[in-house]
Amino acid sequence: MATTLDCPIMGNYFGTARMRHVFDTRQLLQSWFEVWACLAEAEAEVGIIPTEAAEAIRRAAESGHFDANEIAQEGKVGRHLLLPAINALAREAGDAGRYVHWGSTTQDITDTGAVLQIKAALDIVEPAIRRLIDILIRQTKKYGDLPMAGRTHWQHAVPITLGLKLAQWIEELQRHSERLAHCRKLVLVAQIGGAGGTMASMGPKALAVRAAFCRRIGLGEPDTSWFGSRDRLGELVSVLGMVAATIEKIDLEVGRLASTEINELREPRHATQVGSSTMPQKHNPIICEQSAAGCKIVRGMVSMMLEVMVGCHERDWSSVAVEALVIPQAFIVLDGALQFTETILDGLQVFPERMAENLAISKGGINAEAVMYGLARSLGRTRAHDIMVDVARKAGEGRRDLIEVLLEEHREVTDMLSKEQLAELVSPQNHLGIANEVVEKILSRQAGARTEGSRAREKR
Amino acid sequence: MATTLDCPIMGNYFGTARMRHVFDTRQLLQSWFEVWACLAEAEAEVGIIPTEAAEAIRRAAESGHFDANEIAQEGKVGRHLLLPAINALAREAGDAGRYVHWGSTTQDITDTGAVLQIKAALDIVEPAIRRLIDILIRQTKKYGDLPMAGRTHWQHAVPITLGLKLAQWIEELQRHSERLAHCRKLVLVAQIGGAGGTMASMGPKALAVRAAFCRRIGLGEPDTSWFGSRDRLGELVSVLGMVAATIEKIDLEVGRLASTEINELREPRHATQVGSSTMPQKHNPIICEQSAAGCKIVRGMVSMMLEVMVGCHERDWSSVAVEALVIPQAFIVLDGALQFTETILDGLQVFPERMAENLAISKGGINAEAVMYGLARSLGRTRAHDIMVDVARKAGEGRRDLIEVLLEEHREVTDMLSKEQLAELVSPQNHLGIANEVVEKILSRQAGARTEGSRAREKR
Amino acid sequence: MATTLDCPIMGNYFGTARMRHVFDTRQLLQSWFEVWACLAEAEAEVGIIPTEAAEAIRRAAESGHFDANEIAQEGKVGRHLLLPAINALAREAGDAGRYVHWGSTTQDITDTGAVLQIKAALDIVEPAIRRLIDILIRQTKKYGDLPMAGRTHWQHAVPITLGLKLAQWIEELQRHSERLAHCRKLVLVAQIGGAGGTMASMGPKALAVRAAFCRRIGLGEPDTSWFGSRDRLGELVSVLGMVAATIEKIDLEVGRLASTEINELREPRHATQVGSSTMPQKHNPIICEQSAAGCKIVRGMVSMMLEVMVGCHERDWSSVAVEALVIPQAFIVLDGALQFTETILDGLQVFPERMAENLAISKGGINAEAVMYGLARSLGRTRAHDIMVDVARKAGEGRRDLIEVLLEEHREVTDMLSKEQLAELVSPQNHLGIANEVVEKILSRQAGARTEGSRAREKR
Amino acid sequence: MATTLDCPIMGNYFGTARMRHVFDTRQLLQSWFEVWACLAEAEAEVGIIPTEAAEAIRRAAESGHFDANEIAQEGKVGRHLLLPAINALAREAGDAGRYVHWGSTTQDITDTGAVLQIKAALDIVEPAIRRLIDILIRQTKKYGDLPMAGRTHWQHAVPITLGLKLAQWIEELQRHSERLAHCRKLVLVAQIGGAGGTMASMGPKALAVRAAFCRRIGLGEPDTSWFGSRDRLGELVSVLGMVAATIEKIDLEVGRLASTEINELREPRHATQVGSSTMPQKHNPIICEQSAAGCKIVRGMVSMMLEVMVGCHERDWSSVAVEALVIPQAFIVLDGALQFTETILDGLQVFPERMAENLAISKGGINAEAVMYGLARSLGRTRAHDIMVDVARKAGEGRRDLIEVLLEEHREVTDMLSKEQLAELVSPQNHLGIANEVVEKILSRQAGARTEGSRAREKR
């Protein structure tokens, strides 16, 4: 039976089946076999090994005749990560087996294989982020103009709209999406350097082999081997860590806004779902929390990858071996959080009447800035600020209405404003500033990007 | 098929079967069942539930009639971590099932269950560290007085002995051993607080239930619930991280001293072992490197647990859920490193002739300090230092013998010393200072501790 | 002008003057001079250098005739951290100058000097933590039995008391206090090893010098040098990081409970204090937030120290040099947080009526568990849980009273309970369980510890 | 007197004066004043405040009539970070003072001010990286074709050239350069959102104010406020952390290659420089080590910034306050490392004869792969590998010449190769593969980029 990530029970809470599949034993081996097949084909193309050998290796690689447990068992004995798989493939390839791994070194295979898995992982993560953006767009269109309390330092600040909150998430995810697109270009390169990055074992046609290999395997061709240059992977996991930070922020915000006292948002809930094993009234935002926990883990893994970048000499297994655990885990746990968050946002419950009630609980306090600027036009900002600090303090202490206290205590200044003017100043609706314009701009920019994107996809 | 930690191929490189077993699905479930059984027994003892109910729950808990996959499947539907297991146990317990989980809350079960697993994990890690110490003692006794180059800033400094290096590792591991013993006392406490730490659902006999429960389950009784006080676990993983740092230091030192140029130590090698898939001459310290990589991961997880400590309000699942991945993984990966390092140190290859050769490569340079102090007695430290800096520079540049240059360039001062005195000054053997005394002291302290320890064990 | 930590503006927000003083240039230099003086005295005591030389060095070390800027300037030229200070001290010591730094190496001085500074820093941090505990004891005695909502997953769970919350903080701080006491013993050791830890340059009386040196400087004597064994410092900063995590938890809890919707606690506020530059109603928990920010930084520094532990060979400046920034900063920033938190807890504003109001907002929901167990006695836990989940859902949706809904919808079961019994079940006061007993136990244990502590201090 | 970063002694070891200047108190204040001046001018332009007021505020902002200590003192009393500076500026601006900070909130000022400082810091860091690239290009041209041992797993692998090592550093730094350019565009945006990001206090012309403000202050205009969206800063510090990792790798590689046994490279050394306070022969790579230590600190700060990204609600001071320490420190410490590394690479000492000697120490072992492929053409890779593993083992154990052993033990296969062919196989010069082609390609790409870059600069 497996531990956390692959445990049938805990695995529901960390990661997704789709992403575990990308990094499981079968895919690990298959990615290596694919690298060996492409390598052989490239070498045959250039004339270093016989064409029939390459064909036999390709057939063997795709045969599916491999028993991971057997290969693993052989690995235990000899303590070389790759040789058991080389041997298995060579056996399957018959005579051509002698050409398996020709001119190559272990890290050529493990690195290129890992990049193939990363490619598959990015093909899951990138659309998942785009789906979150799409859902947020839909929810923003639906609920965007709802006024609610803006909260800073945990306290009511001024009114905002739900749309402003959601649109900022859209923007942040959009920037991550672009960061990942940039990463993808850098990171999806093959590794082929031979023992020391010189490809000396390939002979004079080495560069031609490299070009053919990269073309066949569908990855970029690096100027030089990156055995000891792990910045591309460091950046990748850093960006995953940043995505996690944003996802965590979203999850925690939904969870906090679902608190008993605030209760403005809620994650969706199955009809049969039970909130607590002991408290019947509970409606715990458990998806939010579980997702946020996963994000903490992903964030925490970034520092490991930055340390890996420092490895010594031409190749340093004591560093790069870290990647074999960290990269799969970062993708698996992050994808769990992405899927959880998709569920949360897709089925987000919104309670407008609670938002309105909460806007009112400070009896005008949330509009104290608006009133201050109403006065400031005649009194100057400093005087107006001093007066309103006094008013807000007294209103707060007595839990009284802000305007009432203002009228009572500072009649000299309120004489300048009509009752209607004062009423207008304390209406949250009148103090939303540019919220709606900002939201519209972000939505229309997204609409533009979508159109461009789909046009670009059509062209392909 | 599973991913890294549980993958049959990569799992050979990270972690051990013995530790994976502690944290696998079966043990996870079984630890929960044990908690429920003890809870029921404690409640029956105090008179809150019927004795027969407790007996039935105990029988059910030990029946082994559970299908983890089925329980997991039920979890997917309802999104409550524990209810499927509660239901499974309750079904098995028949009528007594209504008393399963009585008065308890989810985190009582998951926390206490986790502590049971931690106890089993510590029972593996602590002896593993003691075995490392024992091996180091044996190697120190065998090789302790071999002189070798002491290296600071990557450069030869002064001669030391291999024993001095090993004894410092003994000391550091010994301190970790004591830290873990301290942790163990703190961390092996049960969790029983009910929904909010008040045990209100247990009624007036709550404290008696708590005492009985902790006694039965064999864990300490905390003064209060620690739902929101995770410092014990934070400390535990910090100490695991510190152990990892020491293990990594040892691994890397062996690996570095196995480098082509130094070649004084080597990790053991199977007769059939292959160093590289392409370079026949290689004798890569692959166990050292793989172990060190695991240690980097363990160290990197400490910050996650410190963040978990900050969780909010009475209980915060978005924090504590992190532990379900981090704690098992820290133990599993660390245990892999411990086992690797046991192999390394147990079969450590030592090359005394290489040590002697390396001591000589600086042609006396490594004894420049000794010569300086030889001169300093008459010339003062500053003057002697200036002269020897000049001599060492010229000797180094010309790759000449230190004493030769000294005699040639500073005859005025060397006149004060006889040829024999000079020869003595440049003999590494004469410049080992307190190395042997220190090593003996550390060894005899260990011998004392062993005796005490075994006496203490006998008494039990 | 200085940057953040020493900046007159930002310095108010990070750190304290008292702790900056411990680690400023003057103390850095003075700690080195003290080490050299004690070293000379120890060497004189053993007969390695003349007594008058040691006396002259001591006088020079205490003369105060040093210009840090001048010493720093000399350092720029020669790129050796210590030589300018050695030279300055030697010049001041006249003829005895030749005996300054006799037999020693740079890291002997910098390490022992750092330990002297750490000692002074611990002398600030440890009492600061004890003061926090004392304040928490006082507040617990004053407010301990106030019922308030216990919150799990950000939602009302069951009633607790404020005392239960505070007492858990006391416990956690108490454990940190013990951890620091343990650290102190380990970390307050002198460093004296000479170039390679062998003290070879000290000649045959090396061990006697070591003993005398450690005695004179008032630090423990290590069995061997710890140039390359940094676990003591690693543990120290880990514990500081754990203290920071607890402090941050306290700060954030006060800050969250000061939120507009909850408003049960507040940090103290000066009469003249302004909450926001623009929002007059604001009462931002700015001390809580600033303190929490500092704690995040301290926590984040732990991983750096764990990495330092891995350093290579006998001494590794590329690792230990990290400590020169990290240790002072960890202490300075943590002390800022400790002082902020002392202010917060000492002047903590508590609003009992708000706690009572919040307990009521769920109209009985917070007592759903109590009602469930009321029913469970006759119906079994599962049936009672099912009924109450139904009741709580309907009550929540309609924002109706829990008991009202129960009576209306499940008359068959409520017939078993009298109206009085039902009323009792939904009184928070009746559902506090062992809260008060736990708090009393913790307070009395603290009282015991205080008495013991003061008795112990009297004995000295 | 100041602590580490600003300490006259330790400050030489961490950071640079040029970067400390960017983040010192004077610049902190001046950046705020600049923000207020631009804000007033923008508001005057749009017609919200009088033009004369804006002019007076601008004059005041540039007057230099401010005493940081006095402002700091006022801050201590009122615990508001900005009000003392607002008051100071307002006093200086006379009647116009009432318009200082009009419509704005604290974080508008601190965030935009911080971005101005970041801009100045990037103007130092980016050219510093380009200078490193230029120096590396120069050294590669000079030494690029020197053959040396390629080292993997700390052991000789196959021959490479020094150029290949340096060119990979060029590539990595070049990628960082591009990452920073990308960051720069994202991060150099102004912050202007008013209390909650809605700019409500600016009235209907808010968007016009925003546009004018961003134009005047020379920063990008964000679609919405980023009070709670800190991903730009998170990315910035992540990239600084990655730069640090690369710099550290370079430093450590130079330091390791300067080790007594290898001794192929050395950092430059002043004529007057002293290597050790006690060991005359030492030539410690102290600049490498100090620089690497700084890099460790910078890397370690990344996780703090990822955590800051998670902050709660619309603005969260307990998160963003972290930036005030982390961002300056990351820049200051990194710039120290960059400057140290410039010194190291600019004056890099290269010892070609040592490289040649080291290539020979394995007596052909480093060419075992070449010999294997020489045989593999006729024997197949597997057979050839088996033979050469046997040969290399025997040669290594007996410290004998590889070819000699091959001829002696496997005459059957060596008959296929002439003596000349065998000799060719063990010449490192013949086993450099594509090293030179790769280096040339990288250099010519850099030359192209330079030309383009300078052309682009001319066009401006």
Side-chain angles (χ1 to χ4, degrees), chain A residues 304-329:
Chain A
M304 303 181 197
M305 290 297 288
L306 294 183
E307 191 176 344
V308 165
M309 283 181 61
V310 185
C312 83
H313 294 322
E314 272 57 67
R315 284 199 269 149
D316 179 356
W317 192 255
S318 76
S319 278
V320 300
V322 168
E323 298 162 0
L325 189 145
V326 170
I327 292 177
Q329 185 161 309

Side-chain angles (χ1 to χ4, degrees), chain C residues 214-358:
Chain C
C214 296
R215 177 171 36 76
R216 283 176 178 274
I217 206 152
L219 295 172
E221 185 180 351
D223 275 348
T224 177
S225 78
W226 44 279
F227 292 140
S229 277
R230 317 303 284 186
D231 58 301
R232 293 168 173 98
L233 297 171
E235 186 185 18
L236 172 69
V237 178
S238 292
V239 176
L240 299 185
M242 285 195 279
V243 174
T246 299
I247 295 298
E248 186 180 351
K249 178 170 71 172
I250 295 173
D251 299 332
L252 294 179
E253 187 71 4
V254 172
R256 275 186 300 256
L257 294 182
S259 70
T260 308
E261 283 86 0
I262 299 183
N263 204 14
E264 299 178 355
L265 295 181
R266 273 195 195 167
E267 66 177 42
R269 186 178 188 172
H270 291 258
T272 60
Q273 193 177 330
V274 171
S276 155
S277 64
T278 185
M279 291 169 285
Q281 89 281 11
K282 287 287 249 175
H283 198 312
N284 294 334
I286 194 69
I287 319 180
C288 292
E289 295 178 273
Q290 187 63 41
S291 178
C295 291
K296 284 186 175 67
I297 293 168
V298 178
R299 272 198 287 113
M301 293 165 82
V302 172
S303 62
M304 302 182 198
M305 289 299 288
L306 294 183
E307 191 177 343
V308 165
M309 282 180 61
V310 184
C312 82
H313 293 323
E314 272 57 66
R315 283 198 270 150
D316 179 355
W317 193 255
S318 76
S319 278
V320 300
V322 168
E323 298 162 0
L325 189 146
V326 169
I327 292 176
Q329 186 162 305
F331 272 116
I332 292 169
V333 177
L334 178 60
D335 197 47
L338 288 168
Q339 203 175 56
F340 280 136
T341 306
E342 190 171 330
T343 302
I344 294 164
L345 294 176
D346 192 46
L348 190 68
Q349 301 184 47
V350 177
F351 303 107
E353 72 286 1
R354 289 290 305 156
M355 293 178 180
E357 284 173 35
N358 285 336

Side-chain angles (χ1 to χ4, degrees), chain A residues 48 102-104 193-195 198-203, chain B residues 278, chain D residues 369-370 373 377 431 433:
Chain A
I48 288 182
W102 187 274
S104 188
T198 62
M199 299 188 73
S201 52
M202 294 284 187
Chain B
T278 185
Chain D
E369 189 203 42
Y373 276 102
R377 265 158 234 142
H431 205 51

Side-chain angles (χ1 to χ4, degrees), chain D residues 244-388:
Chain D
T246 299
I247 295 298
E248 187 179 352
K249 178 170 71 172
I250 294 173
D251 298 332
L252 295 179
E253 186 71 6
V254 172
R256 275 186 300 255
L257 294 181
S259 72
T260 307
E261 284 87 358
I262 299 183
N263 203 13
E264 299 178 356
L265 295 181
R266 270 194 197 168
E267 67 176 42
R269 185 176 187 172
H270 291 258
T272 60
Q273 191 176 330
V274 171
S276 154
S277 64
T278 185
M279 290 168 284
Q281 88 283 9
K282 287 286 251 179
H283 198 311
N284 293 336
I286 193 69
I287 319 180
C288 293
E289 295 178 275
Q290 189 63 41
S291 178
C295 291
K296 282 187 178 63
I297 293 168
V298 178
R299 271 198 289 114
M301 295 165 82
V302 172
S303 61
M304 303 181 199
M305 289 297 288
L306 294 183
E307 191 176 345
V308 164
M309 283 181 61
V310 185
C312 82
H313 293 322
E314 272 57 66
R315 285 198 269 147
D316 179 355
W317 192 255
S318 77
S319 278
V320 301
V322 168
E323 298 162 0
L325 189 144
V326 170
I327 292 177
Q329 186 162 304
F331 271 115
I332 291 168
V333 178
L334 178 61
D335 197 46
L338 288 169
Q339 201 175 59
F340 279 137
T341 305
E342 190 172 328
T343 301
I344 294 164
L345 294 177
D346 192 45
L348 190 69
Q349 300 184 48
V350 178
F351 303 109
E353 71 287 0
R354 289 291 304 156
M355 291 178 180
E357 285 173 35
N358 285 337
L359 275 171
I361 58 173
S362 63
K363 300 192 177 175
I366 199 170
N367 301 299
E369 189 203 42
V371 178
M372 178 188 82
Y373 276 102
L375 300 176
R377 265 158 234 142
S378 2
L379 303 173
R381 208 187 142 282
T382 315
R383 175 92 201 281
H385 187 254
D386 288 351
I387 289 174
M388 288 308 300

Side-chain angles (χ1 to χ4, degrees), chain A residues 11-301:
Chain A
N12 286 337
Y13 293 85
F14 293 103
T16 58
R18 68 190 181 202
M19 191 61 92
R20 265 191 287 272
H21 176 70
V22 169
F23 291 105
D24 72 8
T25 310
R26 193 180 310 279
Q27 282 311 104
L28 178 76
L29 274 176
Q30 204 51 50
S31 75
W32 293 347
F33 292 149
E34 178 63 22
V35 177
W36 279 313
C38 288
L39 179 64
E41 290 169 341
E43 289 170 333
E45 178 182 327
V46 169
I48 288 182
I49 70 166
T51 305
E52 312 76 60
E55 288 166 357
I57 292 170
R58 161 65 63 190
R59 273 193 309 274
E62 295 183 351
S63 70
H65 294 164
F66 302 104
D67 181 332
N69 290 309
E70 213 174 89
I71 290 174
Q73 200 50 41
E74 202 183 325
K76 260 183 212 166
V77 181
R79 268 218 191 83
H80 190 285
L81 175 59
L82 222 52
L83 280 182
I86 294 181
N87 294 341
L89 182 63
R91 276 193 301 271
E92 182 70 23
D95 277 355
R98 67 204 293 191
Y99 293 110
V100 167
H101 196 64
W102 187 274
S104 188
T105 197
T106 298
Q107 217 178 314
D108 283 336
I109 311 308
T110 52
D111 278 351
T112 309
V115 171
L116 290 177
Q117 290 178 292
I118 289 170
K119 190 179 182 183
L122 285 173
D123 285 346
I124 292 172
V125 161
E126 293 190 84
I129 293 175
R130 280 197 296 274
R131 275 199 306 280
L132 289 184
I133 295 177
D134 286 339
I135 292 169
L136 283 167
I137 291 173
R138 197 188 75 217
Q139 300 287 27
T140 305
K141 284 180 181 163
K142 191 165 171 192
Y143 297 114
D145 55 358
L146 282 177
M148 68 187 291
R151 292 172 177 92
T152 65
H153 307 262
W154 297 303
Q155 304 204 343
H156 284 196
V158 292
I160 60 165
T161 63
L162 178 54
L164 191 64
K165 195 184 286 274
L166 302 183
Q168 287 169 350
W169 296 348
I170 292 173
E171 288 254 290
E172 204 165 315
L173 289 170
Q174 178 62 38
R175 285 193 294 271
H176 291 319
S177 205
E178 286 157 23
R179 285 179 185 114
L180 278 173
H182 181 252
C183 261
R184 168 181 271 269
K185 262 183 277 178
L186 270 178
V187 87
L188 295 189
V189 291
Q191 176 69 281
I192 175 161
T198 62
M199 299 188 73
S201 52
M202 294 284 187
K205 293 186 187 159
L207 283 174
V209 172
R210 191 170 86 176
F213 172 67
C214 296
R215 178 170 35 77
R216 281 175 179 276
I217 206 153
L219 295 172
E221 184 180 352
D223 274 349
T224 178
S225 77
W226 44 280
F227 292 140
S229 276
R230 315 305 283 187
D231 58 300
R232 293 169 172 98
L233 297 171
E235 187 186 17
L236 172 69
V237 178
S238 293
V239 175
L240 298 184
M242 286 196 278
V243 174
T246 298
I247 295 299
E248 187 179 353
K249 179 171 68 172
I250 294 173
D251 299 332
L252 295 179
E253 186 71 6
V254 172
R256 276 185 299 257
L257 294 182
S259 71
T260 307
E261 283 86 359
I262 298 184
N263 203 14
E264 298 178 356
L265 296 181
R266 272 195 195 168
E267 66 176 44
R269 186 178 187 171
H270 292 259
T272 60
Q273 192 176 331
V274 170
S276 155
S277 63
T278 184
M279 291 168 284
Q281 88 282 9
K282 286 287 251 176
H283 197 312
N284 293 335
I286 194 69
I287 319 179
C288 292
E289 294 177 275
Q290 189 63 41
S291 178
C295 290
K296 282 186 177 65
I297 292 168
V298 179
R299 273 198 288 114
M301 295 166 80

Side-chain angles (χ1 to χ4, degrees), chain D residues 156-177:
Chain D
H156 284 197
V158 292
I160 60 164
T161 63
L162 179 54
L164 192 63
K165 196 185 285 274
L166 303 183
Q168 287 170 348
W169 296 347
I170 292 174
E171 288 253 290
E172 203 165 316
L173 289 171
Q174 178 63 37
R175 285 193 293 271
H176 291 318
S177 206

